[in-house]
Amino acid sequence: MVEHFSDVMIRARGLRKSFGDLEAVKGIDIEVHKGEAFGFLGPNGAGKSSTMRMIAAVSPASGGELSILGMDPAKDGPAIRARLGVCPQEDTLDVELNVFDNLYIYGRYFGIPRAEVRARAEELLAFVQLTEKRTAKVEDLSGGMKRRLTIARSLINRPDVLLLDEPTTGLDPQARHLLWDRLFRLKQQGVTLVITTHYMDEAEQLADRLVVMDKGVIAAEGSPLELIRQYSTREVAELRFPVGDHDATAEKIADLGERVEVLPDRILVYSDDGEHVLEEVHGRGLRPLATLVRRSTLEDVFLRLTGRTLVD
Amino acid sequence: MSATTTPRPVSIRSPLRPFEGSGLIVLRNYVTYKSQWKLFATGFLEPVFYLFSIGIGVGKLIHVFEFNGHAIPYAEFVAPGMLAASAFNGALLDSTFNVFFKLKYEKLYDQLLVTPLTTSDVARGEIIWGQLRGGSYSLAFLVVMWALGLVHSWWAVLAFPAALLIGFAFSAVCMSLTTFMTSWQDFDKITMVQLPLFLFSGTFFPITAFHGVLRWVIEVTPLYRGVVLCRELTTGVITWESGFSLVYLVAMGVLGLVVVRRRLDALLLT
Ligand SMILES: Nc1ncnc2c1ncn2[C@@H]1O[C@H](COP(=O)(O)OP(=O)(O)OP(=O)(O)O)[C@@H](O)[C@H]1O
Ligand SMILES: [Mg+2]
């Protein structure tokens, strides 16, 4: 097939969204390429969902430029939406329809012929392991099943871009891993994924490239590894002291790492050699209640960039 | 052709044909109702009970009844009133409580609007659905009237499209009012209007019983316009009043439709 436009699926320049006086998205630039998994990592209220709704061509932008699949959401909304799959933050299934009809009727909204939707619905039920629930009512499904059904539904039109707003929030570890596996398979099939999350492990698992978003702006951008390399050290030593001792202790060990963060329940010392930090701490006669040396994660990047933890 | 980063200038069309979107919303509602047909049936029985108790029962006490200068049995006077009322009640059911539930609790329209469907499709689809529900009650009622020998004119065939028009007008206006409601208590206001409209719109007695301003007020209420239209058609005594009703009801429906679409834009495309 002839390529009519570049492989840029989503492009935003100075994109803004206001709700009255509140500016939820304050001018962001992003570019999502074909076949990549792009993540928005940020705490509550960062503006992730507001951005996703603009990309979904549902919420009109308050300012800036936005182009999706080379089209303008203000003009070509229905044509853009025909090629997107949307999995909103809250499961909004049609509670008046059973599991199968949720897929079937939704597929019809895309103008897909009857027999074709039926075949796709069966296929997707198998894909998300809900075949035996096909005639169940939506309200009788567990949280994880609802989430899976929502994802199956968002795939009924074989989208070019799949938008997932916090796909695994509120799920148990087993359900999360099943979902991650399904999303990974979609990515292998060439579906472009856009994911928001406030779980750093999810971002690390799924995203090729991500932006760290906070208070409506993008604080940093890159692959998970690049971000860790740029904004953190290789390792982190976590030290737990009796409550109330943290600030005083931190001063005594400030020189041991490139950076020291004091959290309510522990001190983090950023250094390329965590074990060495622990030895030095003990050598200075300090006796932490518990210690842990781990690799740096996106959580540390976030802490460095915003001074706050992601999930509190 | 080489890759270029400039967006394609042409506007790309929706995969849905015009009006296909509204049809799909009707389909969705039909599927949800298949399992609830009993609920559907009760709405039809109400006007039939009124016809039997008041039209035929009370009618036995009234010997000659005059309508537009013609003497007709009382039951033939009440029946078209109930015909209009059945379209009115049917349309009201879906466009008030059900729309409110879908809008505020089920968040159904938020789900629909991430597909190629638009707020126009939602507005039209829901209004058509309300109209069809009212219309189906009316059609069944018309058959009952015919079986009881209460229709004498071929004009009565047009009473069905007239009932659909009444359904459209009320469905559109009631849905537009529903978009302004914030809680279930607000629906008390609808019930407070529904009953007087049902009782005083020339349904059970002619509005010649009223004088002055009151009569003028009733003449411009929507259900009265619907009742007059149905009655002139089923009795075959057509006057300019039907023409006025026609224009009135079409205007009312179109206005409602426009308001619904704008309100959905304001509420959902935030
Ligand atoms: N429809 C709306 N009307 C008014 N304010 C809104 C609306 N939607 C979002 N906001 C506000 O915009 C800000 C950003 O919200 P948004 O939902 O985009 O954040 P988020 O990053 O998705 O957060 P979370 O992780 O909690 O989902 C918040 O302050 C929120 O209160
Ligand atoms: Mg959100």
Side-chain angles (χ1 to χ4, degrees):
Chain A
M1 229 187 80
V2 185
E3 280 281 325
H4 286 284
F5 45 96
S6 75
D7 73 341
V8 176
M9 307 298 266
I10 299 163
R11 176 205 298 274
R13 287 283 170 273
L15 184 64
R16 292 192 299 108
K17 181 77 204 182
S18 322
F19 299 103
D21 290 338
L22 181 106
E23 203 167 23
V25 181
K26 300 172 184 161
I28 60 168
D29 296 345
I30 51 168
E31 207 158 274
V32 179
H33 298 267
K34 194 175 179 135
E36 84 175 325
F38 186 88
F40 285 95
L41 180 67
N44 291 138
K48 303 183 298 292
S49 297
S50 304
T51 307
M52 288 293 251
R53 281 172 48 80
M54 287 191 279
I55 297 174
V58 175
S59 158
S62 311
E65 284 168 39
L66 180 62
S67 141
I68 300 142
L69 301 161
M71 293 180 269
D72 175 1
K75 284 208 314 270
D76 303 313
I80 292 172
R81 295 196 297 270
R83 293 173 58 190
L84 300 181
V86 178
C87 179
Q89 184 164 354
E90 271 130 47
D91 289 311
T92 48
L93 292 158
D94 193 331
V95 295
E96 296 178 79
L97 295 172
N98 70 21
V99 168
F100 181 83
D101 285 338
N102 257 280
L103 297 176
Y104 175 74
I105 296 288
Y106 197 81
R108 297 293 307 279
Y109 297 150
F110 288 84
I112 307 166
R114 283 183 206 107
E116 175 68 22
V117 188
R118 240 177 244 126
R120 286 191 199 180
E122 295 293 358
E123 214 174 89
L124 285 169
L125 281 180
F127 181 66
V128 296
Q129 301 181 356
L130 285 175
T131 306
E132 68 278 22
K133 293 279 177 190
R134 65 196 304 288
T135 55
K137 284 196 220 152
V138 167
E139 60 207 55
D140 295 339
L141 299 181
S142 74
M145 289 174 180
K146 279 187 193 151
R147 206 64 188 146
R148 263 143 57 197
L149 182 58
T150 308
I151 290 181
R153 194 180 66 168
S154 69
L155 293 171
I156 197 93
N157 59 328
R158 307 227 164 111
D160 295 326
V161 179
L162 184 58
L163 306 175
L164 300 144
D165 198 349
E166 299 194 16
T168 66
T169 298
L171 299 188
D172 67 26
Q174 205 188 339
R176 293 180 82 194
H177 283 284
L178 177 66
L179 266 182
W180 284 351
D181 170 69
R182 291 301 180 264
L183 295 177
F184 201 73
R185 289 185 199 198
L186 288 170
K187 200 183 135 193
Q188 283 182 321
Q189 291 165 21
V191 179
T192 307
L193 302 178
V194 181
I195 301 160
T196 79
T197 182
H198 43 67
Y199 296 123
M200 43 134 193
D201 53 343
E202 184 159 276
E204 278 175 340
Q205 281 273 337
L206 293 174
D208 300 319
R209 211 155 55 81
L210 58 97
V211 290
V212 176
M213 205 169 171
D214 187 36
K215 299 188 181 118
V217 296
I218 289 175
E221 178 177 353
S223 72
L225 264 179
E226 279 166 11
L227 287 171
I228 291 166
R229 218 172 279 147
Q230 190 177 346
Y231 294 99
S232 193
T233 51
R234 204 168 68 86
E235 290 185 338
V236 188
E238 295 200 0
L239 311 166
R240 200 178 295 261
F241 288 95
V243 185
D245 285 2
H246 285 149
D247 281 310
T249 315
E251 274 174 31
K252 293 182 198 155
I253 57 173
D255 60 310
L256 291 183
E258 281 182 30
R259 205 160 56 84
V260 173
E261 288 280 356
V262 183
L263 299 185
D265 60 338
R266 65 212 139 119
I267 299 174
L268 306 180
V269 183
Y270 289 91
S271 159
D272 284 335
D273 187 350
E275 290 299 340
H276 179 70
V277 171
L278 292 190
E279 281 164 26
E280 287 285 319
V281 167
H282 284 100
R284 291 180 188 188
L286 297 168
R287 294 287 169 268
L289 301 176
T291 60
L292 168 74
V293 173
R294 59 169 176 83
R295 301 182 76 85
S296 269
T297 65
L298 286 173
E299 178 90 49
D300 301 300
V301 173
F302 190 80
L303 190 62
R304 165 78 189 280
L305 289 168
T306 68
R308 287 182 296 143
T309 47
L310 267 169
V311 192
D312 32 32
Chain B
M1 217 174 155
S2 68
T4 158
T5 48
T6 45
R8 268 201 276 195
V10 284
S11 179
I12 299 144
R13 273 180 297 118
S14 163
L16 300 174
R17 279 171 272 117
F19 284 96
E20 190 180 357
S22 326
L24 289 168
I25 288 166
V26 172
L27 170 75
R28 182 251 165 221
N29 288 343
Y30 169 73
V31 174
T32 66
Y33 265 94
K34 267 200 305 198
S35 51
Q36 301 180 40
W37 62 270
K38 277 182 203 148
L39 216 79
F40 215 90
T42 50
F44 155 72
L45 288 174
E46 197 181 293
V48 174
F49 290 157
Y50 275 105
L51 177 65
F52 277 94
S53 66
I54 305 210
I56 297 175
V58 176
K60 291 245 158 62
L61 310 173
I62 304 166
H63 293 296
V64 200
F65 193 83
E66 205 184 273
F67 170 65
N68 280 0
H70 297 254
I72 57 168
Y74 180 64
E76 285 182 29
F77 175 83
V78 171
M82 293 304 102
L83 178 67
S86 66
F88 164 70
N89 284 326
L92 221 67
L93 284 173
D94 275 294
S95 56
T96 54
F97 295 100
N98 291 353
V99 163
F100 189 72
F101 174 73
K102 291 173 187 172
L103 185 65
K104 300 272 152 121
Y105 293 90
E106 199 186 354
K107 307 263 181 226
L108 176 70
Y109 305 138
D110 292 283
Q111 303 172 40
L112 301 182
L113 293 173
V114 302
T115 72
L117 297 175
T118 63
T119 46
S120 299
D121 294 325
V122 172
R124 271 188 260 141
E126 288 291 15
I127 291 168
I128 291 171
W129 173 254
Q131 170 187 26
L132 288 180
R133 180 154 182 191
S136 64
Y137 291 157
S138 303
L139 186 63
F141 191 82
L142 206 54
V143 171
V144 171
M145 279 175 71
W146 173 77
L148 292 174
L150 297 173
V151 264
H152 300 291
S153 161
W154 277 106
W155 281 109
V157 174
L158 290 180
F160 177 57
L164 283 178
L165 177 61
I166 295 167
F168 167 62
F170 277 102
S171 186
V173 165
C174 292
M175 186 170 171
S176 68
L177 293 175
T178 299
T179 62
F180 290 97
M181 311 232 163
T182 52
S183 74
W184 293 107
Q185 276 77 42
D186 291 337
F187 286 100
D188 291 347
K189 292 171 198 151
I190 290 218
T191 318
M192 263 170 57
V193 178
Q194 187 183 4
L195 191 63
L197 278 185
F198 177 66
L199 292 175
F200 300 111
S201 294
T203 32
F204 297 107
F205 54 90
I207 60 154
T208 45
F210 298 107
H211 299 284
V213 181
L214 196 57
R215 171 153 176 193
W216 186 85
V217 168
I218 291 174
E219 288 213 37
V220 294
T221 54
L223 185 56
Y224 177 73
R225 296 313 331 160
V227 169
V228 166
L229 182 62
C230 287
R231 188 169 288 143
E232 294 201 346
L233 290 170
T234 58
T235 56
V237 189
I238 313 288
T239 70
W240 61 269
E241 291 250 17
S242 285
F244 176 55
S245 295
L246 207 64
V247 174
Y248 182 110
L249 292 169
V250 169
M252 174 175 158
V254 171
L255 181 74
L257 182 61
V258 172
V259 173
V260 169
R261 218 221 59 227
R262 294 221 176 142
R263 286 290 298 162
L264 292 182
D265 281 355
L267 291 172
L268 301 170
L269 304 181
T270 54

